[in-house]
Amino acid sequence: MTEARLLEVEDLRVTFRTPHGPVEAVRGVSFSLGRERLGIVGESGSGKSQTGRALLRLSARNGRVSAKKMVFDGIDLTNASERTMRRIRGARISMIMQDPRYSLNPVVKVGDQIAEAYRIHTGASARKARDRAMEMLETVRIREAGKVYDLYPHQVSGGMGQRVMIAMMLIPEPDVLIADEPTSALDVTVQMQVLALLDDMVRERGMGLVLISHDLNLVASFCDRVMVMYGGRVMEVLEAGRLHEAQHPYTRGLLNCLPSLEHPQHMLPVLTRDAGWLEEAR
Amino acid sequence: MTDTNSAAATGKLPAAPRALRATASALVSLALTFIGLTAITFVIGRVMPADPVLAVVGDRASEEAYQRVFLEMGLDRPIWEQYLTYLGQILTGDFGTSIMTTRPVTEDILRFFPATLELATLATLIGCVIGIPLGVWAAVNQGRWIDHCARVLGLAGYSAPVFWLGMLGLLIFYGNLGWVAGPGRIDIYYDGLVEDPTGVILFDAAWHGEWEIFWNAFSHLILPAGVLGLYALAYIARMTRSFMLDQLGQEYVLAARIKGASEFSVIWRHAFRNVLVQLITIIGLTYASLLEGSVLTETVFAWPGIGQYITTSLFNADMNAVLGGTVVVGICFVGINMLSDLLYRFADPRART
Amino acid sequence: MSAAADPQGAGLRAWLRSPSPASTWQARAQRAYLGWVAFRANPIAMAGLLIVVALVLAAIFAPLLTGSRGLDPDLPNRLLPPSAEHWLGTDQLGRDIYDRLIWGSRVTLYIVGLVSIIVAPIGLAVGTLAGYAGGWVDTVLMRIVDIFLAFPRLILALAFVAALGPGLENAVLAIALTTWSPYARIARAEVLTIRKADYIVAAEAQGASTWRILRKHVVPLCLASVIVRLTLDMAGIILTAAGLGFLGLGAQPPLPEWGAMISTGRDFLYDQWWVPTAPGAAIFLVSLGFCLLGDGLRDVLDPRSGEA
């Protein structure tokens, strides 16, 4: 399979205006994505979520996004009109958010929320959309889809909510899916099920996946490549299989923080950070 | 996969008993509030005045009349017994006789109430129709000049004394421009021509097809309703703005945008649906407070409603009428708030189950 | 240059902005400073503060600002239009309306102040007690609060005044009786949210007495929301008092209460419009000032609650 570049990003910056002056959340991130699975790892505040949102041009009101280059499938995302962006959002690039308790509209039936995502981009009739949403619920392995369709978000469990979210974001069949900590709000027992589901869907449809997480192991086992971020900057990009060959001290630090049965350690080392990593590396 | 079934099950089953329990508890608190309300008016009417009999008969009454009323009011009996009698009278709709009109207070209230209802209803409508879109608009443009304008207008509408606004309105639109009719509910010429079936002139006139009367009544109504409506508008716009801002910051709004929903759909289909649920209570509160807030407006516009009835009775020391009016307005106030609360429970899926 | 010219100011600012405060006192000062910075940046709130300060100054310096106390009739000069001598004209008894307005600010402040010092402590006490005691105490107290909350305030105040007789003090009492209940609600809600908080449990575990916890932890936390609510309610209090005055049930003549001034000026609305309009504008301005101030204070002191 030839590596078609779906997404190319160069020198992406996201700056927020705050009462205490501008804060740069993302400082010059560059990467590219084909029909593959890219993991972005970093601790909270490392700018990984803001990178995801910037791709959809959905940064918060006080945020400003700039990039030398941000191209998706030949479309320049930095200059695209809001109209073009709306056609891209959902239909071509979609995003799964962290916690279904907040990311589903509490007063709309979950089924209708899925059907809406379908109707926005296809203009299908209400009946057709309902049928598709029902199928989609079955695809994300929800039994009794007919019953679940009519439930409200507060009536479904976290695991099921996240399945609904996946169904909603995948129903227009996007090319790229950004999953922002898709399992960290879920019970440990459900996490693996949801991840397995996500993995299957992405494989079957041949989508590009950006999996954003703080969990290095999880990312390494699910993705082809891993991008490590710290302080709004990319520290290192690695093949997932070669994680142990990581060069950068920060990645090494992250790896050493994890307990391992093969190399038991009496005390886990504390992550050391170096302000020098934040310098412009040109 | 076990979570699928259990969640579906817990979602459906206990809905009916819970709704029942909610209604029951609403009724209990209605009853308690009613008892509290009557207890306070009882204290005001029978305990606080130095001589409650004088408050009823007036100070020019003969010794004989005084004695008769003294016994009628049961002032020789213990206080709790007096209260129970009072409660019993109210429950049967008996508020005594008004010394001003010499008719039963209940009858008076029924005559005056439709005017107030008409005024408060139109004012609430004005408040909703203008206030809600204004609030949404301000929230969507948060921080821009339109938002500041809406905020200041909202606060101004809330801060201006209604009786003063009413007078300014009369001065400008009636006195100077002559656009609307003056004080009163209708020109004397038309007075009493349509009174059934409801006593709400606009409705009755339309019912009988008397459009001339309808427009005359409307030109009397629009100014007081506009003044009260400005107050309602201010409050509703303010609350809508703040609810809307809250909702626009929620994650599901971001999710809707990710889906590619248009700005219109994000605002009205997603965020506003959540705001509307919260607004039910606010609109109920506004309507109820307009029913009572019309006291001052009615005085300015010589509007023959319940507020004016209470104030004129007050100056004639007609205690039965004052207390009767207070209790009725209080019951409406409580009832409307209770109703909007129930409606809210019905409208919000989270409160429903 | 500026830093050299004003080293002390710069030092103070640095102290106030230092990211790691050295003492609780410094931390508190920093919070107050940041609040003030946020408040100052809000033009609407500053306008409110300005109006309220102007009201207070007018009340304090009334004798210096006016030529008369506005009480003595001067019948030859009745109902004069605004002029250089009588800035806002004269009323039906020939009294200068401007003078009466300035002196009336004392009446307004008197009402507002009196209602506040009656209402806030009662509300705080009832609310904290209910929230902290829980159980049946809570149920009973909150029922009473609910009953008062469910009442039409103006009508109830009317009925109270009707029974007590008209007058300024009775109006204040009636307003206070109908205003205290929301404060109990607020205080109780605050208590409930923090009662289970870890630091309260920790204080309890250290053996702090209930009284100490209430005084040191609970009341200070409620205070911010109570102050905000009180400022926002000021407008309502002023309007109710003016309404009672307008109906002739509040302050009695010749006291220059603004509502009563509108009431007596009503008869001259179409011909001498300035007589009833000027006091109305004063009421409007002052209650607007409190509203704006309260709004700004809420943004600074109580960022959690969007709207009361």
Side-chain angles (χ1 to χ4, degrees), chain C residues 143-160:
Chain C
R143 269 288 159 229
I144 296 174
V145 167
D146 277 346
I147 288 170
F148 272 92
L149 266 183
F151 270 6
R153 277 161 70 168
L154 183 61
I155 296 259
L156 198 64
L158 270 183
F160 269 122

Side-chain angles (χ1 to χ4, degrees), chain B residues 127-338:
Chain B
C128 290
V129 168
I130 305 176
I132 294 176
L134 187 68
V136 171
W137 198 25
V140 170
N141 293 295
Q142 189 201 2
R144 309 224 177 100
W145 68 270
I146 165 71
D147 178 35
H148 292 305
C149 288
R151 261 182 105 168
V152 172
L153 179 77
L155 290 171
Y158 178 75
S159 318
V162 280
F163 49 97
W164 178 65
L165 274 186
M167 281 169 27
L168 285 188
L170 276 177
L171 179 66
I172 296 168
F173 295 109
Y174 168 66
N176 284 349
L177 299 172
W179 288 357
V180 298
R185 216 177 156 200
I186 196 158
D187 286 357
I188 296 175
Y189 177 71
Y190 297 111
D191 198 15
L193 286 185
V194 286
E195 268 179 357
D196 54 295
T198 58
V200 176
I201 294 187
L202 281 190
F203 182 86
D204 295 343
W207 176 266
H208 292 289
E210 299 277 2
W211 295 106
E212 210 177 312
I213 298 182
F214 179 89
W215 287 115
N216 183 268
F218 185 77
S219 77
H220 276 274
L221 176 61
I222 190 67
L223 193 58
V227 167
L228 275 182
L230 187 68
Y231 169 79
L233 182 163
Y235 184 57
I236 290 176
R238 213 167 119 90
M239 297 312 275
T240 307
R241 174 183 179 274
S242 116
F243 289 156
M244 195 71 191
L245 277 181
D246 189 34
Q247 293 300 326
L248 285 176
Q250 300 287 319
E251 292 246 309
Y252 72 82
V253 168
L254 181 61
R257 291 211 168 99
I258 291 172
K259 283 199 280 192
S262 67
E263 204 53 30
F264 181 84
S265 159
V266 167
I267 292 166
W268 292 103
R269 259 187 63 96
H270 286 275
F272 185 68
R273 258 164 100 161
N274 284 275
V275 170
L276 193 62
V277 170
Q278 296 168 289
L279 273 183
I280 292 173
T281 324
I282 297 298
I283 293 170
L285 205 65
T286 312
Y287 191 47
S289 69
L290 286 189
L291 275 183
E292 74 131 353
S294 60
V295 174
L296 296 164
T297 317
E298 285 176 6
T299 310
V300 173
F301 287 95
W303 194 259
I306 189 102
Q308 218 197 8
Y309 177 67
I310 293 177
T311 40
T312 27
S313 309
L314 221 150
F315 290 115
N316 292 303
D318 192 349
M319 213 54 190
N320 277 343
V322 173
L323 293 183
T326 309
V327 170
V328 168
V329 174
I331 290 174
C332 288
F333 196 86
V334 175
I336 289 173
N337 282 333
M338 210 64 86

